[in-house]
Amino acid sequence: MIRFEHVSKRYDGGHEALANVSLEIRHGELLVLAGHSGAGKSTLIKLIAGLEKPTAGKVWVSGQDVGSLRQNQLPYLRRSLGLVMQEHRLLTDRTVYDNVMLPLLVTGYPPRDAAKRVRVALEKVGMGTFEKAMPLTLSGGEQHRVAIARAIVNRPSVLIADEPTAHLDPAYAREIAALFRSFHAAGVTILLATHDDTLFSPYGARRIELAKGRLLA
Amino acid sequence: MSFLPHGMAFRQALHRLAGKPLSTLLSALVVAIALTLPALSYVLIDNLASLANGVTGKPEISVFLKKEVTAEKAQAMENRLRADKRIVAIRFIGRDTALKQLAARGGFADVTGALSENPLPDAFILEPGGEDPKVFEAIRTSLTAMPEVLHVQLDSAWVERLHAAVELGRWVALLLAALLGTALIIVTFNTIRLQILTQRHEITVSLLLGATRAFVRRPFLYFGLLQGLLGGVLAWGMVQGLVLLIAPRVQALARAYNIVVDLAGPSVWQGLALLVFAAVLGWLGAGLSVRRHLHDGAVD
Ligand SMILES: Nc1ncnc2c1ncn2[C@@H]1O[C@H](COP(=O)(O)OP(=O)(O)OP(=O)(O)O)[C@@H](O)[C@H]1O
Ligand SMILES: [Mg+2]
């Protein structure tokens, strides 16, 4: 499903954020990516989404070499992924409903079915009653859940989340972890980057760890 | 490919325009003023051109003879001219007749009376056939070359000058249009640049969620087009209004020259051309801006 072949990434003028990383994420897997701050977790996710290009090696997603995709092919790759970035990036001038609607809007999804999908996604993350709320009036955990609803509204086969439980109190964090667990149970392939990998160990997740850009055995 | 995304982008652009009515109005006014100057010049030149076309009737060529030319020689010359097929009519006006005509004109009687000698030359008034200015010019050249001739005057010269002025005016209007059209592009370019800046976050998120660049670009392009169109509509109204404003003055001036002038505003086709011009330039300015500003790090 997702495969890294000897991937290195060096940012302009920076040191190596990823060094010779090879890994495979199989269909239906729940994978936790651990590592200290600055280990390269976010970089790895950006390479999958085509937000950055590898300096060396190849990243394969669903049989496509992401690094060699052209600018006009990238949107279609991103539509097949559900992304929850480290900063949740909700649009603060739009309601919760409109935020979750955005992925359907940009992909030209038929408007009539779209409304239903948005409601379903919000229900799944337990935010069904917050449709009309503005993001800034929500707590951090609630904003996170809206971001997750936005990531799953397109029903992606892969869900990738960067630090979904960071800055949350333990109760919220457990709630979110359970949410991902339920998506996994529904057959979605899941990649989670997190400091706090103990949250997911009860769910039998596979765990890999990055340290200074290298994958620990 | 469905039209749905276009309709959506169009509505989004309309929404943005309506969302800030004051800045929309100001931008549209800037566009309108930039368009009004060349459009008004064009319309006025057009009026002048139709005036010039109206008076290209029959030109006359006055041929003044040298003093030493005798009556026989003048008669011989007249016969030669009658043989020339390019000339339709000939009238001889002797110097005495000319003086009498001059004296008969109000105000000149005293002057002519005071002269000890008739200063006027004999003259022919010729009427050339056709309407081709090149032919008139050829006749003038051959007449000037004749030994008996002192001076040849083409009475249509002022019409030609008018035509030349119209031609020049057209050029100036075109130049103005190019210059102010560029200004219009720059205005739109900058408006769109500011919009992209304020919507950077939304653009980034949209691209992250799988929006194509075309999808992100489209509302800006429609915005540029609509802003241009709005400016064009205002400019049309302004040109029409200015024509109405100056028409009575021009008519008063024309009456002093015994010319009837009916100053016309832009035709419907000219107005529509103005709208298309404005819309295309708006679209162009937006397109250039989007191309320039959507590239730098819109995503991360
Ligand atoms: N755009 C960038 N330009 C230059 N260097 C960068 C950029 N993004 C990340 N880096 C560097 O690459 C390294 C890996 O960063 P990355 O964000 O992948 O770490 P991380 O594991 O996600 O850390 P955290 O847990 O703090 O989110 C860091 O040293 C970081 O400073
Ligand atoms: Mg990170």
Side-chain angles (χ1 to χ4, degrees), chain A residues 200-215:
Chain A
F200 297 93
S201 36
Y203 302 137
R206 179 158 75 106
R207 179 183 181 277
I208 55 174
E209 186 172 348
L210 277 172
K212 291 186 179 167
R214 294 181 183 278
L215 210 52

Side-chain angles (χ1 to χ4, degrees), chain B residues 255-274:
Chain B
R255 226 173 288 125
Y257 285 90
N258 266 329
I259 316 172
V260 178
V261 176
D262 203 7
L263 203 60
S267 69
V268 173
W269 288 115
Q270 286 172 335
L272 290 178
L274 178 66

Side-chain angles (χ1 to χ4, degrees), chain A residues 28-57:
Chain A
E29 197 166 22
L30 169 58
L31 183 66
V32 168
L33 176 61
H36 60 85
S37 181
K41 304 184 294 297
S42 296
T43 301
L44 192 141
I45 286 174
K46 285 175 185 168
L47 288 173
I48 295 174
L51 295 169
E52 295 287 352
K53 283 191 189 303
T55 322

Side-chain angles (χ1 to χ4, degrees), chain A residues 79-132:
Chain A
R79 289 174 195 186
S80 71
L81 309 171
L83 285 171
V84 184
M85 300 308 281
Q86 197 159 357
E87 323 83 66
H88 42 74
R89 296 170 190 260
L90 295 177
L91 299 182
T92 51
D93 59 345
R94 306 218 189 156
T95 61
V96 164
Y97 179 90
D98 286 341
N99 266 283
V100 179
M101 179 63 96
L102 199 59
L104 302 176
L105 214 61
V106 303
T107 53
Y109 199 80
R112 220 173 294 151
D113 309 335
K116 214 168 105 199
R117 277 208 173 190
V118 171
R119 300 220 163 85
V120 170
L122 281 171
E123 288 299 336
K124 273 194 186 143
V125 300
M127 293 293 289
T129 55
F130 288 85
E131 269 185 21
K132 296 209 167 65

Side-chain angles (χ1 to χ4, degrees), chain B residues 1-63:
Chain B
M1 156 123 207
S2 96
F3 288 105
L4 183 75
H6 282 277
M8 203 164 73
F10 189 79
R11 275 201 304 279
Q12 212 171 330
L14 263 181
H15 193 75
R16 284 181 197 165
L17 278 167
K20 291 188 176 164
L22 186 67
S23 79
T24 297
L25 188 68
L26 286 179
S27 302
L29 268 176
V30 171
V31 170
I33 290 166
L35 286 171
T36 297
L37 195 54
L40 184 65
S41 338
Y42 188 86
V43 166
L44 293 182
I45 298 297
D46 223 33
N47 275 287
L48 195 59
S50 61
L51 183 67
N53 283 335
V55 291
T56 33
K58 287 186 285 180
E60 283 183 338
I61 302 176
S62 309
V63 185

